[in-house]
Amino acid sequence: MIRTRGLTKRFGRITAVDGVDLDVRAGDRFGFLGPNGSGKTTLVRMLLGLVHATAGEIEVLGERMPAAAARVLPRVGAMVEGPAAYPHLSGRRNLSLFDAAGPGGGRRGRVDRVEDALARVGLSGVDKRAVSAYSLGMRQRLGLAAALLRGPSLLILDEPTNGLDPKGIREIRDLLIALNEGGTTVFLSSHLLAEVELLCTRVGIVDRGRMVLQDDLDNLRAPTGQVLVRSPDVAAVAALLAGRVVARDGEELTVRHADAAELNAELVRRGLRVSGIAELRRTLEQVVLESTGDSGDRVDRPPDPGAAQRRTRPTRGGDRTDHPREPDPTVAERPTTGDHLPGETPGEPDATTTGRTGDSATHRRGPDPEAEPDSAAGRISGDLHPGDHTGAPDGEVRR
Amino acid sequence: MIAVELRKLASRPRVWLSIGLLCALPALVAVLLSVSNLAPPPGQGGAFLSAVLRNGALFPAAALALVLPVFLPLAVAVFAGDAVAGEAATGTLRYLLVRPVSRSRVLVAKMVALAVFIVLAITMVVVTSLVVGLALFGTGAEAVGQSGAATSLSGVTLGPGELALRLLGAIGYIVVCMLGFGSIALFFSTLSDSAIGAALAALAVLIASSVLQTLQAADSIKPYLPTNYWLSWIDFFRDPILWRNIDSGLVLQACYIALFFGASWANFAAKDITS
């Protein structure tokens, strides 16, 4: 349904999408995941012909995009970066204008198409008030209705449940599953992992413009070959399984074992009590965190090989591109920064969830209570300076 | 798409508000004139204003002279500046394009809507000012065109039919001028995602052009300034009609329309839509 080869998009010197090979098959519910700023939206825009690729090929519904846009797009329903509507018109009026604007928008049947789409997303009772008076959730539903208006065979949705309450999210999920069972391929870009886990059959994970992983959700969540055992006789269990215990936490043991049922039987046979036992599966969250780097909207300071040099610099007036805190000893107190460099290899296999959440606290550096009084004013201007936030390679902004 | 664009135009409160304001200014002037009965002295004040006191049927021409230099271009700049940038800002542009509507079709529809808006605005100004003029000043039994009005009507009496024809000619000429200016605003609208920014840029062009026009040192480029022949519609009320400037004006505006519509198209067709 969607296939890209080496898809690349550069905006000036920034590479937003870098050699992505996407493969969405007919009938998939494809979850397209990635941190903020990882290039999801740019890729979606390229699929729809809104943004022109710098390099690579795009095939949607078997035809080349954007060359065949006039044939492809009428069969695609899309929601890109939130819904949009003319605020001074009612939802119905918006849908009917949208229907009339493009091809195949004959007057006959328009009212039915609009009412049908509104009913599907749960807005059939909506009155004549203008969209500007709609709640965020209502706008989201209206955007979905616009995507469904033409009975598409492919739905490309960017964060479709944004702004909906839990009940609304559930409704939309059920709607998308029902549509998918009726033959519509669903391509959903999101960073709501739980949502994707519940809805999708396949996922692709993108990080800093690169596709780092693309697989069936079932494969990704395959058993890890480890079993979690909880037992009041934890010491005896550990002794019995010596050499296979991976971790121990109170009454809980993580054990390398292929079959939880067999392990259970064995423990019971030896008279050891088991209060809980479960096969360990990776959660989608673990998969994503292992395959992606930092959150895209974090801006850490770049690696500091030049920190020592800058500390000895005689003057730091005039050009405030340097961080004004540089002589501050806190620079040296950031040993964990190394784990979070923007240049960190994605897909680093050993990084664990706990490791990341554990030390992320060190990066919540808000206003520092121990600020040096003499540099307080400089700090403000320094923090506002874009050079400190771009994460640009050393030597460009800094020197 | 064109039909959709026209429906959007008709349903937009802002459109009617701006047209209403355009009509209000001449009406206000008419009321003040009729109450005070003080025409501007010959050679001063707005064109035709002296003649109007004797013949209300000339008031539409006076009204056009009032709104043309600033208010009509202002309305046009706001409307045309909003054309693409406004859709980009509300986010509806991307949905139109994936509907799909081809980019050239979007642009043509915007241009048509712009033309309709201009015709609508000028027609409304003319109609309301005709009604106001006739109501306040009467049809004027004696001959129009006393010499000494700001723009001489060459002293020749014009019958009502003749006058209507000339008024139509003037309207057509102004529409073309505004379309030329509007296509500049449309071009800025494809450059920016901010409707206000595009409108202001177009107004900056208007002001720059007006300033240069008064500058003697700029004489050599004067014939190419967009506003240069705008006031030549007055030549329709001379006898015989002075076609020379009108013709040059039409050619110049046609060039501006072609140039800036072409530039809009070239920019918009290749643009990454990231709004």
Side-chain angles (χ1 to χ4, degrees), chain B residues 25-26 32 71 89 91 100 117 127 135 161 198 219:
Chain B
L25 175 75
L32 291 176
F71 289 98
F117 171 74
V127 169
D219 267 352

Side-chain angles (χ1 to χ4, degrees), chain A residues 9 45 48-52 73 78-82 84 86 88-89 93 97-103 110 150, chain B residues 1 4 7-8 11-13 87 90-92 94-101 103 269-275:
Chain A
K9 176 65 186 179
R45 284 175 182 271
L48 295 169
L50 291 172
V51 165
H52 303 286
L73 291 181
M79 191 152 89
V80 191
E81 249 190 307
Y86 300 110
H88 59 285
L89 299 176
R93 193 77 203 276
L97 281 179
F98 184 64
D99 187 77
R110 180 172 303 151
R150 310 291 312 171
Chain B
M1 179 62 197
V4 169
R7 266 193 280 167
K8 280 193 286 198
S11 67
R12 197 113 196 237
E87 298 262 7
T90 54
T92 42
R94 57 176 185 265
Y95 287 104
L96 278 181
L97 295 180
V98 302
R99 170 60 184 83
V101 185
R103 297 188 185 198
K271 194 183 178 190
D272 282 337
I273 307 297
T274 51
S275 59

Side-chain angles (χ1 to χ4, degrees), chain A residues 137-160:
Chain A
M138 285 173 80
R139 287 175 203 219
Q140 199 73 19
R141 286 171 191 254
L142 185 65
L144 262 173
L148 298 177
L149 191 61
R150 310 291 312 171
S153 42
L154 170 65
L155 269 176
I156 297 182
L157 304 173
D158 199 4
E159 308 281 357

Side-chain angles (χ1 to χ4, degrees), chain B residues 129-161:
Chain B
S129 58
L130 186 65
V131 172
V132 169
L134 289 180
L136 294 180
F137 307 111
T139 50
E142 70 257 60
V144 293
Q146 296 275 347
S147 63
T151 48
S152 159
L153 295 176
S154 312
V156 174
T157 314
L158 296 175

Side-chain angles (χ1 to χ4, degrees), chain B residues 73 75-84 107-108 110-115 117-118 174-191 198-199 201-203 205 226 230 250-268:
Chain B
V76 168
V78 168
F79 185 86
D82 185 65
V84 177
L107 218 50
V108 168
K110 293 293 181 190
M111 197 69 180
V112 170
L114 175 63
F117 171 74
I118 293 169
I174 294 176
V175 166
V176 173
C177 288
M178 286 301 113
L179 211 51
F181 177 64
S183 46
I184 298 177
L186 185 67
F187 169 65
F188 287 129
S189 186
T190 64
L191 283 184
L203 287 176
V205 169
W230 276 14
L250 288 177
V251 169
L252 180 72
Q253 296 302 331
C255 289
Y256 269 103
I257 293 172
L259 188 69
F260 279 92
F261 187 72
S264 311
W265 182 82
N267 177 45
F268 187 58

Side-chain angles (χ1 to χ4, degrees), chain A residues 159-374:
Chain A
E159 308 281 357
T161 51
N162 210 0
L164 292 175
D165 51 26
K167 216 164 177 181
I169 292 177
R170 174 68 190 266
E171 272 176 50
I172 297 305
R173 188 196 311 143
D174 291 346
L175 169 66
L176 292 180
I177 292 177
L179 285 167
N180 178 255
E181 278 160 3
T184 309
T185 304
V186 177
F187 177 92
L188 179 111
S189 116
S190 180
H191 53 235
L192 298 176
L193 298 176
E195 204 34 54
V196 168
E197 201 158 15
L198 285 169
L199 177 68
C200 293
T201 53
R202 249 164 84 75
V203 295
I205 300 174
V206 73
D207 184 36
R208 291 191 202 96
R210 291 187 157 275
M211 186 73 106
V212 291
L213 202 146
Q214 181 168 229
D215 205 347
D216 285 351
L217 191 60
D218 288 342
N219 293 345
L220 292 176
R221 300 195 46 215
T224 52
Q226 297 184 347
V227 177
L228 189 72
V229 183
R230 174 186 276 272
S231 164
D233 308 323
V234 66
V237 173
L240 177 69
L241 298 173
R244 285 197 279 173
V245 176
V246 179
R248 178 173 172 174
D249 178 19
E251 287 197 347
E252 274 182 6
L253 286 177
T254 309
V255 182
R256 266 196 304 277
H257 200 286
D259 191 339
E262 201 160 289
L263 179 63
N264 186 35
E266 192 187 335
L267 292 174
V268 170
R269 209 164 38 236
R270 294 179 188 253
L272 297 171
R273 293 171 296 167
V274 175
S275 54
I277 188 162
E279 199 178 50
L280 268 185
R281 280 171 181 269
R282 293 200 300 175
T283 64
L284 185 56
E285 185 178 19
Q286 275 172 311
V287 173
V288 169
L289 288 172
E290 283 167 22
S291 49
T292 61
D294 278 332
S295 162
D297 39 21
R298 280 184 60 130
V299 185
D300 289 322
R301 257 190 276 180
D304 249 0
Q309 291 171 18
R310 277 186 280 114
R311 220 166 292 160
T312 57
R313 257 171 52 151
T315 55
R316 50 186 188 92
D319 74 308
R320 277 288 179 186
T321 49
D322 284 312
H323 198 288
R325 278 208 303 189
E326 62 185 32
D328 189 312
T330 54
V331 172
E333 288 169 17
R334 292 187 290 109
T336 49
T337 332
D339 287 336
H340 291 266
L341 307 179
E344 183 182 19
T345 356
E348 179 191 0
D350 286 339
T352 60
T353 321
T354 47
R356 280 171 190 277
T357 47
D359 61 17
S360 74
T362 52
H363 296 268
R364 264 185 260 122
R365 280 182 286 118
D368 188 347
E370 294 162 31
E372 302 168 60
D374 66 327

